[in-house]
Amino acid sequence: MMRVAQYLDWDVTELKPILQEMMREIDYDGSGTVSLAEWLRGGVTNIPLLVLLGLEVHMKDDGQHMWRLKHFNRPVYCNVCETLLVGLRKQGLCCTFCKFTVHERCARKAPPSCISTYAKSRKEAGVQAHVWVKGGCEASKCGRCQKKIKSFQSLTGLHCVWCHLKIHEECLAAVPPACDCGLLRDHILPPSAIYPVVLERQNSQKDGSGTPGEEGPQVFTTPEGQALRVSPVPDTHPLLVFVNPKSGGKQGERVLRKLQYLLNPRQVYNLQQGGPNPGLNFFRDVPDFRILVCGGDGTVGWILDAIDKANLPRRPPVAVLPLGTGNDLARCLRWGGGYDGENLVKILKDIEGSSVVQMDRWHLRVLPASPAEAGDPVPYEIINNYFSIGVDASIAHRFHVMREKYPEKFNSRMKNKLWYLEFATSETLFATCKKLKECLSIECCGTPLELRGALAGVAVLNIPSMHGGSNLWGETKRPLGEARRAPGTEQPPAITDAETLKTCVQGACGGGGGGVRMALPHPGGCPESPSPPALPPPDLSDQRLEVVGLEGVLEMGQIYTGLKSAGTRLAKCSEITLRTLKPLPMQIDGEPWMQPPCTIKITHKNQAPMLMAPPPRSSSFFGLKKGPVEA
């Protein structure tokens, strides 16, 4: 046990006496040794012991606390013995769901009074009542009388688990019993909205009348075997949350716990425990629900693919909380380049005020030139963000191989970026992908592309962000007097003319990827005159891909820092065919692999509704936003 604790970086000096006390408690015969029977009788069901060993306690039924050791920055009192929790580091146990706080020694005495995540009968469904827990109100104002809740060296105040209202105990009588779920009422599924029903098809399945081998959606049941049905509050948009706890170092685990407290725990799913299917099946018949994906671009692609396979009656829109390294899709949808511990309540309120945009998704088919020649498995068959061959994929592939071999060296976003920098430096020195035109040919809607000899990489873009915020295509400006493209106007299937592609490139794009920019005409117009018709700016839903050439790592760095406006524009088209003559590194949405000679065909698959964050508020004194105008 001590070795496990040391591996998990626990403070062994504090942990050893706690473990000794707990082992004495389950040594029922007083022999000084815990037998297997005694361990099964008391050790396995000892929740604090499981927490100390770093094992997660799964939510089995309502009323069971989910304990975790926690360090408190201010004085906190035990909800059982009402004495102060003392210690230098982690002073006690706190329930993730209801914030019920106890000493380690008091955990077994804690009543099973945790929250109910669903109504126990149809009669209880309807109006949600407040669920009060004593304490947890230090340095807060009373939501009723607006006076400060003072601590008198004891448990003070009450807080509601669902609306998070904090009040004095003497103000309880003045608070209405009905709970409206507070600021997050639009997202929360209160217990009154989930109730058990009798399985109507249970008897028919027992009789064998169902189709053999046919698996229907997973049914969530109570311990009594009754199925749970969801009937959300009218005019709300319940939020289904998927969290990848491995994303962003330990950030994913913290986000998982916080969201389990802010929302109903039955709305929050750990992707490491069963994937997304349990959550999608539970919300299958919920009207107007939204999805929040907490993870990187790969996690978002996983969820979008699962939604395709789930065959839901209505495709829900998806928001992103960026926990990965690049987070290019989150940047384009204005959710930022990475989560740094911001207030989750504010982020959830932004989701409430977000707008729905359609995003193209593309099907990628790989046809090997020689089926006998083995290569790495293709990670995805769907392109959501980008696809690339050459220099950038080589860096990503080396990063991926090193991370698979030494995962302990890649436990934070900053370390990951430093590793990328090291691999990019070595790629600059060795130039493993130079003279790409000798082993790669590209056709856009049947039109061959002429590749320059200096190109070391080719990127196919669906969104205007890559490499953690680089806009490789550059921003498009319209010439003075050029009318905007009318809605519904058809674009040509392929644009490969070099002059048309070079027209109206902004001098310094900045490449921030803070949203899909729709720039207004420049007051002075473009210097080249006369010019071909203006190229429409990249759009998530235009059913077009942008093809860009890269000359090497130095050019990628120049674009990222804003020293260069864009890469070499090669084409804008609706269908692409690529043929390779030797093994080359490739990547889809940040997932790399080494591919033997093959033919790759990219065609349009469908569109997925995504949630775009509201525009950022102006920080200037007069409320004027600096920078290019966004539409």
Side-chain angles (χ1 to χ4, degrees):
M1 293 182 188
M2 298 300 297
R3 290 173 183 163
V4 175
Q6 290 172 353
Y7 175 78
L8 296 172
D9 294 330
W10 292 92
D11 188 347
V12 180
T13 57
E14 296 181 10
L15 189 59
K16 187 174 182 178
I18 297 173
L19 288 175
Q20 288 177 341
E21 180 182 353
M22 291 185 175
M23 295 302 288
R24 282 195 296 267
E25 288 184 5
I26 62 175
D27 184 15
Y28 296 104
D29 58 5
S31 62
T33 303
V34 178
S35 64
L36 177 59
E38 290 173 331
W39 175 263
L40 294 175
R41 179 181 172 187
V44 175
T45 58
N46 193 326
I47 294 175
L49 183 59
L50 295 178
V51 174
L52 292 172
L53 293 179
L55 303 176
E56 185 176 5
V57 180
H58 304 286
M59 181 184 63
K60 296 180 180 179
D61 193 19
D62 290 357
Q64 178 180 334
H65 294 288
M66 180 177 282
W67 301 113
R68 70 179 185 92
L69 271 174
K70 184 177 180 181
H71 172 74
F72 299 94
N73 296 321
R74 60 179 72 248
V76 176
Y77 295 86
C78 176
N79 280 88
V80 174
C81 65
E82 299 193 6
T83 58
L84 183 67
L85 274 69
V86 294
L88 297 178
R89 295 188 64 184
K90 296 178 171 62
Q91 300 96 330
L93 299 171
C94 181
C95 177
T96 300
F97 298 154
C98 66
K99 301 302 180 184
F100 195 90
T101 306
V102 296
H103 295 98
E104 294 90 341
R105 63 178 181 270
C106 298
R108 302 187 69 181
K109 304 175 185 177
S113 58
C114 197
I115 60 173
S116 295
T117 59
Y118 63 91
K120 296 302 181 283
S121 66
R122 185 68 178 90
K123 296 179 180 179
E124 297 181 12
V127 180
Q128 176 62 38
H130 287 289
V131 177
W132 301 106
V133 175
K134 194 173 183 179
C137 304
E138 295 78 11
S140 302
K141 283 188 177 181
C142 176
R144 178 63 183 174
C145 65
Q146 301 302 317
K147 294 181 180 179
K148 185 177 180 180
I149 302 176
K150 298 180 180 180
S151 175
F152 297 100
Q153 298 184 353
S154 62
L155 276 175
T156 307
L158 300 170
H159 73 272
C160 177
V161 176
W162 296 108
C163 66
H164 308 297
L165 178 67
K166 298 179 180 180
I167 61 171
H168 294 103
E169 292 184 57
E170 52 269 23
C171 295
L172 178 60
V175 177
C179 177
D180 63 355
C181 295
L183 291 174
L184 304 178
R185 64 178 64 91
D186 189 57
H187 296 309
I188 294 179
L189 268 180
S192 59
I194 307 174
Y195 56 90
V197 295
V198 178
L199 289 175
E200 298 177 356
R201 299 177 56 189
Q202 188 172 10
N203 294 332
S204 62
Q205 292 175 354
K206 290 181 180 180
D207 295 339
S209 58
T211 304
E214 180 181 353
E215 295 184 1
Q218 179 180 355
V219 179
F220 290 82
T221 61
T222 65
E224 293 77 20
Q226 293 178 302
L228 293 178
R229 177 175 295 176
V230 180
S231 179
V233 179
D235 300 324
T236 62
H237 304 81
L239 190 65
L240 171 60
V241 182
F242 295 110
V243 182
N244 188 348
K246 291 186 177 181
S247 297
K250 293 185 178 180
Q251 280 189 324
E253 298 177 1
R254 290 194 291 268
V255 169
L256 177 67
R257 292 194 300 264
K258 290 180 180 179
L259 290 174
Q260 284 176 331
Y261 174 66
L262 292 174
L263 305 173
N264 191 325
R266 294 189 181 273
Q267 296 178 246
V268 185
Y269 290 82
N270 185 342
L271 288 174
Q272 298 300 317
Q273 300 172 3
N277 289 332
L280 293 174
N281 289 333
F282 186 56
F283 273 69
R284 170 175 293 274
D285 298 322
V286 178
D288 299 327
F289 76 95
R290 300 169 175 149
I291 292 179
L292 172 63
V293 180
C294 305
D297 290 338
T299 306
V300 178
W302 180 14
I303 299 302
L304 293 178
D305 187 50
I307 294 175
D308 283 341
K309 297 176 181 178
N311 295 320
L312 301 176
R314 187 190 69 89
R315 192 176 185 111
V318 178
V320 183
L321 180 63
L323 298 180
T325 303
N327 303 312
D328 291 293
L329 181 56
R331 295 172 191 270
C332 293
L333 297 174
R334 298 200 194 108
W335 296 112
Y339 175 74
D340 292 322
E342 295 89 350
N343 188 355
L344 285 177
V345 175
K346 179 183 179 301
I347 295 175
L348 294 176
K349 292 298 292 182
D350 286 342
I351 295 176
E352 185 177 343
S354 61
S355 57
V356 178
V357 296
Q358 298 293 328
M359 183 185 74
D360 291 323
R361 303 177 70 229
W362 302 82
H363 183 263
L364 179 138
R365 188 160 53 120
V366 179
L367 304 174
S370 174
E373 189 172 0
D376 298 335
V378 180
Y380 303 126
E381 295 181 351
I382 304 297
I383 300 175
N384 295 308
N385 300 352
Y386 55 82
F387 166 80
S388 67
I389 300 178
V391 56
D392 63 314
S394 176
I395 298 172
H397 184 258
R398 295 176 63 187
F399 175 88
H400 175 74
V401 171
M402 181 65 72
R403 183 171 58 179
E404 291 294 316
K405 190 175 182 180
Y406 304 104
E408 68 278 1
K409 296 182 180 181
F410 299 82
N411 55 6
S412 72
R413 188 182 295 119
M414 180 56 65
K415 287 184 179 180
N416 293 351
K417 291 184 177 180
L418 292 176
W419 278 107
Y420 263 113
L421 178 62
E422 178 178 338
F423 294 138
T425 303
S426 62
E427 179 64 29
T428 304
L429 298 176
F430 297 106
T432 60
C433 298
K434 62 181 180 180
K435 297 181 181 180
L436 193 63
K437 63 174 295 184
E438 297 179 0
C439 55
L440 174 67
S441 62
I442 303 177
E443 292 182 5
C444 295
C445 299
T447 304
L449 289 185
E450 182 178 354
L451 302 180
R452 298 191 322 190
L455 293 182
V458 173
V460 180
L461 308 177
N462 184 45
I463 63 174
S465 179
M466 190 175 176
H467 305 147
S470 296
N471 189 344
L472 301 185
W473 181 258
E475 299 206 13
T476 303
K477 290 283 187 180
R478 296 180 179 86
L480 183 65
E482 170 116 8
R484 289 178 177 268
R485 182 177 293 270
T489 304
E490 285 293 331
Q491 299 183 32
I495 302 175
T496 58
D497 180 68
E499 294 301 321
T500 303
L501 292 170
K502 289 191 296 184
T503 301
C504 307
V505 178
Q506 186 178 357
C509 69
V516 182
R517 297 181 181 271
M518 302 293 192
L520 297 178
H522 193 279
C526 287
E528 296 86 356
S529 179
S531 61
L535 197 64
D539 188 81
L540 296 180
S541 59
D542 59 0
Q543 300 187 21
R544 296 295 183 272
L545 292 167
E546 289 75 39
V547 186
V548 183
L550 297 171
E551 296 181 359
V553 177
L554 291 179
E555 185 184 42
M556 291 166 54
Q558 291 173 341
I559 297 174
Y560 184 81
T561 57
L563 297 177
K564 189 172 182 180
S565 61
T568 303
R569 295 186 177 186
L570 300 178
K572 185 182 179 75
C573 57
S574 59
E575 184 176 329
I576 301 177
T577 301
L578 305 97
R579 295 180 177 87
T580 61
L581 302 179
K582 73 173 187 179
L584 288 173
M586 305 181 183
Q587 67 168 334
I588 298 177
D589 296 349
E591 295 293 331
W593 80 101
M594 186 64 68
Q595 178 62 47
C598 67
T599 298
I600 297 176
K601 295 186 177 181
I602 303 176
T603 55
H604 190 264
K605 175 180 172 61
N606 60 10
Q607 290 186 333
M610 306 296 292
L611 290 174
M612 179 172 285
R617 295 182 180 179
S618 172
S619 58
S620 63
F621 180 78
F622 295 102
L624 299 176
K625 179 177 175 59
K626 298 180 181 180
V629 179
E630 293 186 6

